[in-house]
Amino acid sequence: MSIPFELVAISLSVLAVTASYFGFGLPNHPYQVALGALLMLLCYHRRWLPRPKRPVDFLLPLLNTGLLSMQWKLFIGGGWRAPLDWMQYPSIQWMPSFQMQWHNLPGAGWQVDTTRIQCFLLVFTALGAWLKFQPFASFTALALCLISVPAYVDLRWDWVFPALVCGMVSFYVQANAPARSNRRPA
C-alpha cells in the first residue's frame, strides 16, 4: 500500500511553511505576498506544478503561496530602516543629580523603505541577466546583497536552512507528481 501523493505533498508543504515561519517570520511587506502569489500563478500557468482538480488539492497552492511569501524575505525583506539612528550627541545634566543623556541629531530620525530599493535592484538584476549584460547584473546583485545585510541579521538562521530544504523538497515532490486521470478505475 502506497501513501497518497496529496498526503505527502501537503505534509511537506505544512512542514516547510512552519519552518519558514520560525526562520523568516511573517511577510513584512505587501511586495513579498504579491511576488509569492505571482510566482505561484506562473508555476501553475506554465504547468510546472500540477493544477488542482479536487477541493483538497487547492490547499497546496495556498500553502505554496504562503511559503514563497515568507521566503521572499531573503531577497526583499528589508522593511523600514533608520540608517542614521546612530547620530546622537550627549548632554550632561547636573541637577538634581548627575546624568548623561543621548539626544538625536536632526537627521537621525530619517527612515527608508529598503524593501522598495531591494525590489528595484532585484528587477534590475533580472533585467541585466535577461539582456546578458553581465557587469550590470553582477553590480546590481552585489548592491542587493549589501542592502540586504540588515535584513539577514533579523532572520533566525537555525530555521532558515531547514525551511529552504523542506520548501525545495516540497516543490520537487509536487512537480514530479504522478499523472492522475479523470477516469475511475474499473
Side-chain angles (χ1 to χ4, degrees):
M1 183 172 133
S2 66
I3 300 173
F5 156 76
E6 290 84 8
L7 182 63
V8 172
I10 289 173
S11 300
L12 284 170
S13 293
V14 167
L15 184 66
V17 167
T18 304
S20 292
Y21 173 74
F22 288 126
F24 298 102
L26 292 174
N28 59 355
H29 203 279
Y31 289 174
Q32 295 161 347
V33 178
L35 287 174
L38 286 173
L39 188 57
M40 274 298 89
L41 286 173
L42 178 68
C43 287
Y44 285 105
H45 172 73
R46 300 289 298 173
R47 295 187 187 258
W48 293 331
L49 296 175
R51 291 186 179 173
K53 294 183 176 140
R54 297 177 302 168
V56 72
D57 294 342
F58 283 95
L59 186 58
L60 278 173
L62 293 175
L63 288 170
N64 291 338
T65 302
L67 172 69
L68 287 178
S69 297
M70 286 185 267
Q71 290 188 357
W72 268 110
K73 284 181 123 177
L74 278 175
F75 301 109
I76 56 170
W80 285 93
R81 300 287 175 182
L84 302 177
D85 63 350
W86 55 270
M87 293 179 25
Q88 298 179 345
Y89 65 92
S91 70
I92 299 175
Q93 182 181 15
W94 295 97
M95 294 293 181
S97 64
F98 178 74
Q99 291 180 348
M100 186 171 86
Q101 297 177 344
W102 290 91
H103 299 282
N104 288 337
L105 287 172
W110 176 66
Q111 291 185 341
V112 63
D113 185 7
T114 55
T115 303
R116 289 184 183 187
I117 296 170
Q118 288 171 320
C119 284
F120 285 120
L121 289 172
L122 185 65
V123 167
F124 289 148
T125 302
L127 183 66
W130 181 63
L131 295 174
K132 295 182 174 55
F133 187 42
Q134 190 62 38
F136 181 74
S138 297
F139 176 72
T140 54
L142 176 64
L144 177 62
C145 288
L146 292 176
I147 291 288
S148 300
V149 167
Y152 294 155
V153 173
D154 292 340
L155 300 179
R156 292 189 48 206
W157 286 96
D158 53 337
W159 284 96
V160 169
F161 183 71
L164 292 173
V165 169
C166 289
M168 288 186 286
V169 170
S170 172
F171 284 122
Y172 178 79
V173 167
Q174 292 175 44
N176 293 314
R180 290 176 285 187
S181 65
N182 292 331
R183 296 181 294 160
R184 293 186 177 192

